[in-house]
Amino acid sequence: MPGLFLAVLFGVAGPLQGQKQQKSQSAGVPDIRALMTEVMDHQKQLEKVRENYTYTSATTTEDIDTNGKVTKTESEDEEVFFINTHRIERRVKKDGKPLNDHDQQKEQERVNKLVEKAQKVPPGEPLEGPNTTVSVTHLLEIMQVSNPRRENFRGRPTIVFDFAGRRDAKTHGIAEDASKKIAGTLWVDERDHQVARMEAHFTDNFHVGGGLLANVQKGSSFYFDQAQVNGEIWFPTAAEGHIEARVLLLKGVREHVVERDFDYKRFSVDSQTGKTATVVTDPK
């Protein structure tokens, strides 16, 4: 289920790129279509800079019963880095404990294969699993943008606007189908043209596989934060999701997922470390 939310998250951030925009309700607010085009273009320019960094992503997942009591807690820490624009994650801890030698070797072998694959797969194409991205052409017809305005967000000038999926939109694929049942708010840093925060929630139940595989309940929600690192690039800092669903018509799932991203470091990769996906800290 968190994977579905992630697909939807990155699917929704791009739809507004060419959306027909209503007249601004706030004087001086830029056209959202032009703004999001600049955001996407700027992000592409920073992809190579992003490959000079690694950071830690720690995720905690709580299973919650119908009374709101936590029945199970799992956590894992991953080292995140990028090869040929592709995000690669190496698990380093499970439930607060470092992987044992056997699991560490298996994880390294898995990561090595991903690195080799990432070097061959063109940027923008999926590295693993089905392609859950949504074409801009279709998204332009799925999402509506409203209430553009200016806010001072964390001490920085920010353009804020609301978005919502159109129920009558024709869609194809899981990410497009989910997008039209999502509404939320997006904060864009005006100075750096980066998404600073996104909040979204399902406005209706969303059926996966006609409801046979899963049924995400109305009200399931998530948020996503980013911030500037070293004055040159933006990275995720936190994310949180409240997920309620029914899986395979039988199992009810209620999860609270929290992600924290930290310990951003510049690093260099030579041809030898590239083969083994070993991060070498740059003394600079």
Side-chain angles (χ1 to χ4, degrees):
M1 300 313 301
L4 169 62
F5 269 69
L6 189 62
V8 171
L9 174 66
F10 288 104
V12 171
L16 319 167
Q17 185 173 355
Q19 180 72 35
K20 291 182 179 179
Q21 185 61 31
Q22 300 174 357
K23 290 185 178 179
S24 172
Q25 299 178 8
S26 177
V29 174
D31 176 73
I32 299 302
R33 173 179 177 174
L35 174 66
M36 293 310 295
T37 298
E38 291 174 359
V39 168
M40 302 301 284
D41 290 344
H42 186 58
Q43 185 62 37
K44 290 179 180 179
Q45 294 172 10
L46 292 176
E47 285 179 346
K48 284 298 180 182
V49 178
R50 187 173 61 172
E51 293 185 15
N52 295 327
Y53 280 87
T54 180
Y55 64 92
T56 299
S57 181
T59 303
T60 301
T61 302
E62 296 177 334
D63 291 349
I64 302 171
D65 64 18
T66 55
N67 297 317
K69 181 181 178 180
V70 177
T71 59
K72 181 181 179 181
T73 301
E74 294 181 331
S75 67
E76 65 178 28
D77 289 14
E78 295 176 321
E79 178 188 65
V80 180
F81 59 100
F82 299 84
I83 299 291
N84 195 24
T85 76
H86 298 290
R87 174 185 169 116
I88 296 179
E89 302 159 346
R90 178 198 286 114
R91 182 186 298 176
V92 294
K93 288 184 180 180
K94 177 69 175 178
D95 295 328
K97 298 179 180 179
L99 300 185
N100 59 39
D101 292 342
H102 175 71
D103 290 342
Q104 191 175 43
Q105 182 178 351
K106 289 180 60 178
E107 181 67 3
Q108 186 63 60
E109 291 173 354
R110 183 189 69 84
V111 171
N112 289 347
K113 292 179 181 179
L114 278 179
V115 169
E116 292 179 3
K117 187 175 181 180
Q119 292 170 337
K120 300 175 183 177
V121 176
E125 293 188 11
L127 190 59
E128 291 185 286
N131 190 346
T132 54
T133 59
V134 189
S135 69
V136 172
T137 302
H138 288 303
L139 282 170
L140 300 184
E141 302 174 356
I142 297 174
M143 308 300 294
Q144 291 180 328
V145 176
S146 62
N147 194 24
R149 56 202 183 273
R150 271 195 168 88
E151 289 184 8
N152 195 24
F153 184 69
R154 294 173 180 163
R156 296 175 65 94
T158 308
I159 302 297
V160 187
F161 55 89
D162 303 320
F163 61 87
R166 288 180 47 239
R167 299 295 182 88
D168 60 344
K170 293 182 179 181
T171 55
H172 305 279
I174 185 172
E176 287 186 19
D177 293 343
S179 294
K180 69 178 185 179
K181 293 190 175 183
I182 286 179
T185 304
L186 201 69
W187 285 257
V188 178
D189 186 88
E190 190 170 10
R191 187 180 307 159
D192 288 357
H193 289 174
Q194 290 286 324
V195 175
R197 183 178 177 88
M198 175 181 175
E199 296 177 357
H201 62 276
F202 278 89
T203 57
D204 197 359
N205 293 344
F206 174 60
H207 305 291
V208 182
L212 297 177
L213 296 179
N215 181 18
V216 182
Q217 301 296 305
K218 174 182 178 180
S220 294
S221 62
F222 58 88
Y223 78 79
F224 169 78
D225 279 342
Q226 289 198 129
Q228 190 183 65
V229 174
N230 289 347
E232 67 173 348
I233 193 168
W234 286 61
F235 273 119
T237 56
E240 186 171 348
H242 296 273
I243 307 164
E244 189 167 343
R246 184 163 295 277
V247 180
L248 300 177
L249 299 178
L250 298 173
K251 183 181 179 181
V253 175
R254 294 179 180 83
E255 289 186 343
H256 176 213
V257 182
V258 177
E259 177 184 314
R260 294 291 179 264
D261 304 294
F262 54 93
D263 196 22
Y264 309 93
K265 297 177 180 177
R266 288 186 65 93
F267 72 96
S268 59
V269 180
D270 58 26
S271 59
Q272 193 64 34
T273 57
K275 293 177 182 178
T276 59
T278 301
V279 176
V280 180
T281 302
D282 186 342
K284 295 182 181 180

